[in-house]
Each structure stands twice: as structure tokens, then as C-alpha cells.
Coordinates of all heavy atoms in Angstrom, one line a residue:
M289 N 36.5 -11.2 128.5 CA 37.6 -10.4 128.3 C 37.9 -9.5 129.6 O 39.1 -9.5 129.9 CB 37.5 -9.4 127.1 CG 38.6 -8.6 126.7 SD 40.0 -9.6 126.2 CE 41.1 -8.4 125.9
W290 N 36.9 -9.0 130.2 CA 37.2 -8.2 131.4 C 37.8 -9.1 132.5 O 38.6 -8.7 133.3 CB 36.0 -7.5 131.9 CG 35.6 -6.5 130.9 CD1 35.8 -6.3 129.6 CD2 34.8 -5.2 131.3 NE1 35.3 -5.0 129.2 CE2 34.6 -4.4 130.2 CE3 34.3 -4.9 132.6 CZ2 34.0 -3.3 130.2 CZ3 33.6 -3.6 132.5 CH2 33.4 -2.9 131.4
L291 N 37.3 -10.3 132.6 CA 37.7 -11.3 133.6 C 39.2 -11.6 133.4 O 40.0 -11.7 134.3 CB 37.0 -12.6 133.6 CG 37.3 -13.6 134.7 CD1 37.1 -13.0 136.1 CD2 36.4 -14.7 134.6
V292 N 39.6 -11.7 132.2 CA 41.0 -12.0 131.9 C 41.9 -10.8 132.4 O 43.0 -11.0 132.9 CB 41.2 -12.3 130.3 CG1 42.7 -12.5 130.0 CG2 40.5 -13.6 130.0
K293 N 41.5 -9.6 131.9 CA 42.3 -8.5 132.4 C 42.2 -8.4 133.9 O 43.3 -8.1 134.5 CB 41.5 -7.2 131.9 CG 41.8 -7.0 130.3 CD 41.2 -5.6 129.9 CE 41.5 -5.3 128.5 NZ 41.1 -4.0 128.2
L294 N 41.2 -8.6 134.6 CA 41.1 -8.6 136.0 C 42.1 -9.4 136.7 O 42.8 -9.2 137.5 CB 39.7 -8.8 136.6 CG 39.6 -8.8 138.1 CD1 39.9 -7.5 138.6 CD2 38.1 -9.2 138.5
V295 N 42.2 -10.7 136.2 CA 43.1 -11.7 136.8 C 44.5 -11.2 136.4 O 45.4 -11.3 137.3 CB 42.9 -13.0 136.0 CG1 44.0 -14.0 136.4 CG2 41.5 -13.6 136.4
A296 N 44.7 -10.7 135.2 CA 46.2 -10.2 134.9 C 46.5 -9.0 135.8 O 47.7 -9.0 136.3 CB 46.2 -9.9 133.5
Y297 N 45.6 -8.1 136.0 CA 45.9 -6.9 136.8 C 46.1 -7.3 138.2 O 46.9 -6.8 138.9 CB 44.7 -5.9 136.7 CG 44.6 -5.2 135.4 CD1 43.3 -4.7 135.0 CD2 45.7 -4.9 134.6 CE1 43.2 -4.0 133.8 CE2 45.5 -4.3 133.3 CZ 44.3 -3.9 133.0 OH 44.2 -3.2 131.7
A298 N 45.3 -8.3 138.8 CA 45.4 -8.7 140.1 C 46.8 -9.4 140.4 O 47.4 -9.2 141.4 CB 44.3 -9.6 140.5
A299 N 47.1 -10.4 139.4 CA 48.4 -11.0 139.5 C 49.6 -9.9 139.6 O 50.6 -10.1 140.2 CB 48.5 -12.0 138.4
W300 N 49.4 -9.0 138.7 CA 50.5 -8.0 138.5 C 50.6 -7.2 139.8 O 51.8 -6.9 140.3 CB 50.3 -7.0 137.4 CG 51.4 -6.1 137.1 CD1 51.3 -4.8 137.2 CD2 52.7 -6.4 136.6 NE1 52.5 -4.2 136.9 CE2 53.4 -5.2 136.5 CE3 53.4 -7.6 136.4 CZ2 54.8 -5.1 136.0 CZ3 54.6 -7.5 135.9 CH2 55.3 -6.3 135.7
C301 N 49.4 -6.8 140.4 CA 49.4 -6.1 141.7 C 49.9 -6.9 142.8 O 50.7 -6.4 143.7 CB 48.0 -5.6 142.0 SG 47.4 -4.3 140.9
W302 N 49.7 -8.3 142.7 CA 50.2 -9.2 143.8 C 51.7 -9.2 143.7 O 52.3 -9.2 144.7 CB 49.5 -10.6 143.6 CG 50.2 -11.6 144.6 CD1 49.6 -11.8 145.9 CD2 51.3 -12.4 144.4 NE1 50.5 -12.7 146.4 CE2 51.4 -13.2 145.6 CE3 52.2 -12.6 143.2 CZ2 52.5 -14.1 145.7 CZ3 53.1 -13.6 143.5 CH2 53.2 -14.4 144.7
L303 N 52.2 -9.2 142.5 CA 53.7 -9.3 142.3 C 54.3 -7.9 143.0 O 55.3 -7.9 143.6 CB 54.0 -9.4 141.0 CG 55.5 -9.4 140.6 CD1 56.2 -10.5 141.4 CD2 55.8 -9.4 139.1
G304 N 53.6 -6.9 142.6 CA 54.1 -5.6 143.1 C 54.1 -5.4 144.6 O 55.0 -4.9 145.2
L305 N 52.9 -5.8 145.1 CA 53.0 -5.9 146.7 C 54.0 -6.9 147.3 O 54.5 -6.5 148.2 CB 51.5 -6.3 147.0 CG 50.4 -5.3 146.8 CD1 49.0 -6.1 147.2 CD2 50.6 -4.2 147.7
T306 N 54.2 -8.0 146.5 CA 55.2 -8.9 147.1 C 56.6 -8.3 147.1 O 57.4 -8.5 148.0 CB 55.3 -10.2 146.2 OG1 53.9 -10.8 146.3 CG2 56.3 -11.1 146.7
L307 N 56.9 -7.4 146.0 CA 58.2 -6.9 145.9 C 58.3 -5.7 146.8 O 59.5 -5.4 147.4 CB 58.5 -6.4 144.5 CG 58.7 -7.5 143.5 CD1 58.8 -7.1 142.0 CD2 59.8 -8.5 143.9
W308 N 57.3 -4.8 147.1 CA 57.4 -3.6 147.6 C 56.7 -3.6 149.1 O 57.3 -2.8 149.9 CB 56.6 -2.5 146.8 CG 57.4 -2.3 145.6 CD1 57.1 -2.7 144.4 CD2 58.6 -1.5 145.4 NE1 58.0 -2.3 143.3 CE2 58.9 -1.6 144.0 CE3 59.6 -0.8 146.2 CZ2 60.0 -1.1 143.4 CZ3 60.6 -0.3 145.7 CH2 60.9 -0.3 144.3
R309 N 55.9 -4.3 149.3 CA 55.3 -4.4 150.8 C 54.9 -5.9 151.1 O 53.8 -6.3 151.3 CB 54.0 -3.6 150.8 CG 54.2 -2.2 150.6 CD 53.0 -1.5 150.7 NE 53.2 -0.1 150.8 CZ 52.5 0.9 151.1 NH1 51.3 0.5 151.5 NH2 52.7 2.2 151.1
P310 N 56.1 -6.7 151.4 CA 55.8 -8.2 151.7 C 54.9 -8.4 152.8 O 54.3 -9.4 152.8 CB 57.3 -8.6 151.9 CG 58.1 -7.6 151.4 CD 57.5 -6.3 151.4
A311 N 54.9 -7.6 153.8 CA 54.1 -7.8 155.0 C 52.6 -7.6 154.7 O 51.7 -8.2 155.5 CB 54.5 -6.7 156.1
T312 N 52.2 -6.9 153.7 CA 50.8 -6.6 153.4 C 50.2 -7.5 152.2 O 49.3 -7.2 151.7 CB 50.6 -5.2 153.1 OG1 51.2 -4.9 151.8 CG2 51.0 -4.4 154.1
V313 N 51.0 -8.5 151.8 CA 50.6 -9.4 150.6 C 49.4 -10.2 150.9 O 49.6 -11.0 151.8 CB 51.8 -10.1 150.0 CG1 51.2 -11.0 148.8 CG2 52.9 -9.2 149.6
R314 N 48.4 -9.9 150.4 CA 47.2 -10.8 150.4 C 46.4 -10.7 149.2 O 46.4 -9.7 148.5 CB 46.3 -10.3 151.6 CG 46.9 -10.5 152.9 CD 45.9 -10.2 154.0 NE 46.5 -10.3 155.4 CZ 47.2 -9.3 156.0 NH1 47.2 -8.1 155.4 NH2 47.7 -9.4 157.2
W315 N 45.8 -11.7 148.7 CA 45.1 -11.8 147.5 C 44.0 -10.7 147.5 O 43.7 -10.1 146.5 CB 44.6 -13.2 147.1 CG 45.7 -13.9 146.4 CD1 46.5 -14.9 146.8 CD2 46.2 -13.7 145.0 NE1 47.4 -15.4 145.9 CE2 47.2 -14.5 144.7 CE3 45.8 -12.8 144.1 CZ2 47.9 -14.5 143.6 CZ3 46.6 -12.7 142.8 CH2 47.5 -13.7 142.6
P316 N 43.3 -10.6 148.6 CA 42.2 -9.5 148.4 C 42.7 -8.1 148.2 O 42.2 -7.4 147.5 CB 41.5 -9.6 149.8 CG 41.8 -11.1 150.4 CD 43.2 -11.5 149.8
N317 N 43.8 -7.9 148.7 CA 44.5 -6.4 148.5 C 44.9 -6.3 147.0 O 44.6 -5.3 146.4 CB 45.7 -6.4 149.3 CG 45.5 -6.3 150.7 OD1 44.3 -6.1 151.1 ND2 46.5 -6.4 151.6
A318 N 45.5 -7.5 146.5 CA 45.8 -7.5 145.1 C 44.6 -7.4 144.1 O 44.5 -6.8 143.2 CB 46.6 -8.6 144.8
L319 N 43.6 -8.2 144.6 CA 42.3 -8.1 143.8 C 41.7 -6.7 143.8 O 41.1 -6.3 142.8 CB 41.4 -9.2 144.3 CG 40.2 -9.6 143.4 CD1 40.5 -10.1 142.1 CD2 39.3 -10.6 144.2
G320 N 41.6 -6.2 145.0 CA 41.1 -4.8 145.1 C 41.8 -3.9 144.2 O 41.1 -3.0 143.5
L321 N 43.2 -3.9 144.1 CA 43.9 -3.0 143.3 C 43.7 -3.4 141.8 O 43.7 -2.5 140.9 CB 45.4 -3.1 143.6 CG 45.9 -2.5 145.0 CD1 47.3 -2.9 145.3 CD2 45.6 -1.0 145.0
G322 N 43.6 -4.7 141.5 CA 43.1 -5.1 140.2 C 41.8 -4.5 139.7 O 41.7 -4.0 138.6
F323 N 40.8 -4.6 140.5 CA 39.5 -3.9 140.4 C 39.7 -2.4 140.1 O 39.1 -1.8 139.2 CB 38.6 -4.2 141.4 CG 37.7 -5.3 141.2 CD1 37.8 -6.4 142.2 CD2 36.8 -5.4 140.1 CE1 37.1 -7.6 142.0 CE2 36.1 -6.6 140.0 CZ 36.2 -7.7 140.9
L324 N 40.5 -1.7 140.9 CA 40.8 -0.3 140.7 C 41.4 0.0 139.3 O 41.0 0.9 138.6 CB 41.6 0.2 141.9 CG 42.0 1.6 141.8 CD1 40.7 2.5 142.1 CD2 43.1 1.9 142.9
R325 N 42.4 -0.8 138.9 CA 43.0 -0.6 137.6 C 42.1 -0.9 136.5 O 42.0 -0.1 135.6 CB 44.2 -1.5 137.5 CG 44.9 -1.6 136.1 CD 45.3 -0.1 135.7 NE 45.9 -0.2 134.4 CZ 45.2 0.0 133.3 NH1 44.0 0.3 133.4 NH2 45.8 0.1 132.1
L326 N 41.2 -1.9 136.6 CA 40.2 -2.2 135.6 C 39.2 -1.1 135.4 O 38.9 -0.6 134.4 CB 39.5 -3.5 136.0 CG 38.5 -4.0 134.9 CD1 39.3 -4.3 133.5 CD2 37.9 -5.2 135.3
G327 N 38.9 -0.5 136.6 CA 37.8 0.6 136.6 C 38.4 1.9 135.9 O 37.7 2.6 135.2
I328 N 39.6 2.1 136.4 CA 40.3 3.4 135.7 C 40.5 3.2 134.3 O 40.2 4.1 133.5 CB 41.8 3.5 136.3 CG1 41.6 4.0 137.7 CG2 42.5 4.5 135.6 CD1 42.9 4.0 138.5
G329 N 40.7 2.0 133.8 CA 40.9 1.7 132.2 C 39.5 1.9 131.7 O 39.5 2.4 130.6
V330 N 38.5 1.4 132.2 CA 37.2 1.5 131.6 C 36.7 2.9 131.5 O 36.2 3.4 130.5 CB 36.2 0.6 132.4 CG1 34.7 0.9 131.9 CG2 36.4 -0.9 132.2
L331 N 36.9 3.6 132.8 CA 36.5 5.1 132.8 C 37.3 5.8 131.7 O 36.6 6.5 131.0 CB 36.8 5.5 134.2 CG 36.6 7.0 134.4 CD1 35.0 7.3 134.3 CD2 37.1 7.6 135.6
F332 N 38.5 5.8 131.6 CA 39.3 6.5 130.7 C 39.0 6.2 129.2 O 38.9 7.0 128.2 CB 40.7 6.5 131.0 CG 41.3 7.3 131.9 CD1 41.6 7.0 133.2 CD2 41.4 8.7 131.6 CE1 42.1 7.8 134.1 CE2 41.9 9.6 132.6 CZ 42.2 9.1 133.8
G333 N 38.7 4.8 129.1 CA 38.4 4.4 127.6 C 37.1 5.0 127.2 O 36.9 5.4 126.1
V334 N 36.1 5.0 128.1 CA 34.8 5.6 127.7 C 34.9 7.1 127.4 O 34.3 7.6 126.5 CB 33.7 5.3 128.8 CG1 32.5 6.0 128.6 CG2 33.5 3.7 128.8
V335 N 35.6 7.7 128.3 CA 35.7 9.2 128.3 C 36.4 9.5 127.0 O 35.9 10.5 126.1 CB 36.5 9.8 129.3 CG1 36.9 11.3 129.2 CG2 35.7 9.7 130.7
I336 N 37.6 8.8 126.6 CA 38.4 9.2 125.3 C 37.3 8.8 124.1 O 37.3 9.5 123.2 CB 39.5 8.2 125.2 CG1 40.6 8.7 126.3 CG2 40.1 8.2 123.8 CD1 41.8 7.8 126.4
F337 N 36.6 7.7 124.2 CA 35.8 7.4 123.0 C 34.7 8.4 122.8 O 34.4 8.7 121.6 CB 35.2 6.0 123.3 CG 34.5 5.4 122.0 CD1 35.3 4.8 121.0 CD2 33.1 5.4 121.9 CE1 34.7 4.3 119.9 CE2 32.5 4.9 120.8 CZ 33.4 4.4 119.8
F338 N 34.1 8.9 123.8 CA 33.1 9.8 123.6 C 33.5 11.3 123.5 O 32.8 12.1 123.0 CB 32.0 9.7 124.6 CG 31.2 8.5 124.5 CD1 31.2 7.4 125.4 CD2 30.3 8.3 123.4 CE1 30.4 6.3 125.3 CE2 29.6 7.1 123.4 CZ 29.6 6.1 124.3
A339 N 34.7 11.7 123.9 CA 35.3 12.9 123.8 C 35.7 13.2 122.3 O 35.6 14.4 121.9 CB 36.5 13.0 124.7
V340 N 36.0 12.3 121.5 CA 36.5 12.5 120.1 C 35.2 12.3 119.3 O 34.7 11.2 119.1 CB 37.6 11.6 119.7 CG1 37.9 11.7 118.2 CG2 38.7 11.7 120.7
P341 N 34.8 13.4 118.5 CA 33.7 13.3 117.6 C 33.9 12.5 116.4 O 35.0 12.6 115.8 CB 33.4 14.8 117.3 CG 34.7 15.5 117.4 CD 35.5 14.7 118.6
A342 N 32.9 11.8 116.0 CA 33.0 10.9 114.7 C 31.6 10.8 114.2 O 30.7 10.6 115.0 CB 33.7 9.7 114.9
Q343 N 31.5 10.4 112.9 CA 30.2 10.1 112.3 C 30.1 8.6 112.7 O 30.9 7.8 113.0 CB 30.3 10.2 110.9 CG 30.6 11.6 110.4 CD 29.5 12.5 110.7 OE1 28.3 12.2 110.9 NE2 29.8 13.8 111.1
P344 N 28.8 8.2 112.7 CA 28.3 6.8 113.1 C 29.0 5.8 112.3 O 29.5 4.8 112.8 CB 26.9 6.7 112.9 CG 26.5 8.1 113.1 CD 27.5 8.9 112.6
D345 N 29.3 6.1 111.1 CA 30.0 5.0 110.3 C 31.6 5.0 110.3 O 32.2 4.3 109.8 CB 29.7 5.2 108.7 CG 30.0 6.7 108.2 OD1 30.3 7.5 109.0 OD2 30.1 6.8 107.0
D346 N 32.1 6.0 111.2 CA 33.5 6.0 111.4 C 33.9 5.4 112.8 O 35.1 5.7 113.2 CB 34.0 7.5 111.4 CG 33.9 8.1 110.0 OD1 33.9 7.4 109.1 OD2 33.8 9.4 110.0
V347 N 33.0 4.7 113.4 CA 33.3 4.1 114.7 C 34.6 3.3 114.8 O 35.5 3.3 115.6 CB 32.1 3.3 115.3 CG1 32.4 2.7 116.4 CG2 31.0 4.3 115.4
L348 N 34.7 2.3 113.7 CA 35.9 1.5 113.7 C 37.2 2.3 113.5 O 38.3 2.0 114.2 CB 35.8 0.5 112.5 CG 37.0 -0.5 112.4 CD1 37.2 -1.3 113.6 CD2 36.8 -1.4 111.2
W349 N 37.2 3.2 112.6 CA 38.3 4.2 112.3 C 38.7 4.9 113.6 O 39.8 5.0 114.0 CB 38.1 5.0 111.2 CG 39.3 6.0 111.0 CD1 39.2 7.4 111.3 CD2 40.5 5.6 110.6 NE1 40.5 7.8 110.9 CE2 41.3 6.8 110.6 CE3 41.2 4.5 110.3 CZ2 42.6 6.9 110.3 CZ3 42.6 4.5 109.9 CH2 43.2 5.7 109.9
K350 N 37.6 5.4 114.3 CA 37.8 6.2 115.5 C 38.5 5.3 116.6 O 39.4 5.7 117.3 CB 36.4 6.7 116.0 CG 36.4 7.4 117.3 CD 35.0 7.8 117.6 CE 34.8 8.5 119.0 NZ 33.5 8.8 119.3
Y351 N 38.0 4.1 116.8 CA 38.5 3.2 117.6 C 40.0 2.8 117.5 O 40.9 3.0 118.2 CB 37.7 1.8 117.7 CG 38.3 0.7 118.7 CD1 37.9 0.8 120.0 CD2 39.2 -0.3 118.2 CE1 38.4 -0.1 121.0 CE2 39.7 -1.1 119.1 CZ 39.2 -1.1 120.4 OH 39.8 -1.9 121.4
L352 N 40.4 2.6 116.1 CA 41.8 2.4 115.8 C 42.6 3.6 115.9 O 43.7 3.4 116.3 CB 41.9 1.8 114.3 CG 41.2 0.5 114.1 CD1 41.2 0.1 112.7 CD2 41.9 -0.6 114.8
A353 N 42.1 4.7 115.6 CA 42.9 5.9 115.6 C 43.2 6.4 117.1 O 44.3 7.0 117.4 CB 42.1 7.1 115.0
I354 N 42.3 6.1 118.0 CA 42.4 6.5 119.5 C 43.2 5.4 120.2 O 44.1 5.8 120.9 CB 41.0 6.8 120.0 CG1 40.4 8.0 119.3 CG2 41.1 7.0 121.5 CD1 38.9 8.2 119.8
Y355 N 42.7 4.2 120.1 CA 43.2 3.2 121.0 C 44.5 2.6 120.7 O 45.3 2.1 121.5 CB 42.1 2.2 121.2 CG 41.0 2.7 122.1 CD1 39.7 2.7 121.6 CD2 41.2 3.2 123.5 CE1 38.7 3.2 122.2 CE2 40.1 3.7 124.1 CZ 38.8 3.7 123.5 OH 37.9 4.2 124.3
S356 N 44.8 2.7 119.4 CA 46.2 2.1 118.9 C 47.3 2.9 119.6 O 48.2 2.3 120.2 CB 46.3 2.1 117.4 OG 45.3 1.1 117.0
P357 N 47.3 4.2 119.4 CA 48.4 4.9 120.2 C 48.4 4.8 121.7 O 49.4 4.6 122.2 CB 48.1 6.4 119.7 CG 47.3 6.3 118.5 CD 46.5 5.1 118.7
V358 N 47.2 4.7 122.2 CA 47.0 4.6 123.7 C 47.7 3.2 124.0 O 48.5 3.1 125.1 CB 45.6 4.7 124.1 CG1 45.4 4.2 125.6 CG2 45.0 6.1 124.0
R359 N 47.3 2.1 123.3 CA 47.8 0.8 123.6 C 49.4 0.8 123.5 O 50.1 0.2 124.2 CB 47.1 -0.3 122.8 CG 45.7 -0.4 123.0 CD 45.3 -0.9 124.5 NE 44.0 -1.0 124.6 CZ 43.4 -0.7 125.7 NH1 44.0 -0.3 126.8 NH2 42.1 -0.9 125.8
L360 N 49.8 1.4 122.4 CA 51.3 1.4 122.2 C 52.0 2.1 123.2 O 53.0 1.6 123.7 CB 51.5 2.1 120.8 CG 53.0 2.1 120.4 CD1 53.5 0.7 120.0 CD2 53.0 2.9 119.1
L361 N 51.5 3.2 123.6 CA 52.1 3.9 124.8 C 52.1 3.0 126.1 O 53.1 3.1 126.7 CB 51.4 5.2 125.0 CG 51.9 6.1 126.1 CD1 53.3 6.6 125.8 CD2 51.0 7.3 126.3
E362 N 51.0 2.5 126.4 CA 50.9 1.7 127.6 C 51.9 0.4 127.5 O 52.5 0.2 128.5 CB 49.5 1.0 127.6 CG 48.4 1.9 128.1 CD 47.0 1.2 128.2 OE1 46.9 0.1 127.6 OE2 46.1 1.7 128.8
C363 N 52.0 -0.2 126.4 CA 52.9 -1.4 126.3 C 54.4 -1.0 126.1 O 55.2 -1.7 126.6 CB 52.6 -2.2 125.1 SG 50.9 -3.0 125.2
S364 N 54.6 0.2 125.7 CA 56.1 0.6 125.5 C 56.6 1.2 126.7 O 57.8 1.5 126.8 CB 56.2 1.4 124.3 OG 55.6 2.7 124.4
S365 N 55.8 1.8 127.6 CA 56.3 2.5 128.8 C 56.7 1.6 129.8 O 56.0 0.5 130.0 CB 55.2 3.6 129.3 OG 54.1 3.0 129.7
S366 N 57.7 2.0 130.6 CA 58.1 1.1 131.7 C 58.3 2.0 132.9 O 58.7 3.1 132.8 CB 59.3 0.3 131.5 OG 60.2 1.2 131.2
P367 N 57.8 1.5 134.1 CA 58.0 2.3 135.3 C 59.5 2.5 135.6 O 60.3 1.5 135.4 CB 57.3 1.5 136.4 CG 57.3 0.2 135.9 CD 57.2 0.3 134.4
G368 N 59.9 3.6 136.1 CA 61.2 3.8 136.6 C 62.1 4.2 135.5 O 63.0 4.2 135.0

């Protein structure tokens, strides 16, 4: 799953670099930005998950209650 996300993030960063900085477009740059985005996502995901207290049997509910709004916000927001 992480590999799929990394490929998607790197492709998206490559497109952004192509549009905004055509002279600097290289796959290593896009891949580096993709790794950065993946790392930020993992870091925030872990912090959010452990910051909200829950009983051990509430882990699924906790996951759905926290990440569903986060994913909805991510998918519905657009830059600009």
C-alpha cells in the first residue's frame, strides 16, 4: 500500500514540478518530494492515532472516527 501511495505522490509532484518549475523537473526530485509527503502522512497519522484515547476494543471505531473526517477533508479540499 505504501508503494502505491509513494508512486501516486511522486507522479503528482512530478506534475506539479512540470507545471510550476519546468527547468527543475527530474524524477529524483519528484520522488524525493513524494517520500516527504509520505513521511508527513505517516507521522501525522501516528500522532493522531495515539493522541486520541480509546479502549483496546475500540480501535476500529477510533480509526473510523478519526480518519474518515481527515480523508474526507483531504479529498474535498483543493489548492487555490
Side-chain angles (χ1 to χ4, degrees):
M289 181 65 181
W290 290 26
L291 182 60
V292 173
K293 283 186 175 186
L294 176 61
V295 169
Y297 291 151
W300 187 247
C301 291
W302 178 84
L303 178 63
L305 287 172
T306 301
L307 294 174
W308 293 101
R309 294 186 172 189
T312 63
V313 176
R314 292 186 185 91
W315 274 108
N317 294 350
L319 190 59
L321 291 172
F323 268 115
L324 179 64
R325 172 59 184 93
L326 185 65
I328 290 170
V330 169
L331 177 70
F332 276 104
V334 169
V335 167
I336 290 170
F337 191 79
F338 287 113
V340 176
Q343 298 299 324
D345 57 344
D346 293 339
V347 173
L348 178 61
W349 175 250
K350 179 179 173 180
Y351 181 84
L352 294 174
I354 294 170
Y355 291 117
S356 295
V358 169
R359 298 293 181 219
L360 183 63
L361 182 65
E362 284 178 344
C363 294
S364 65
S365 64
S366 63

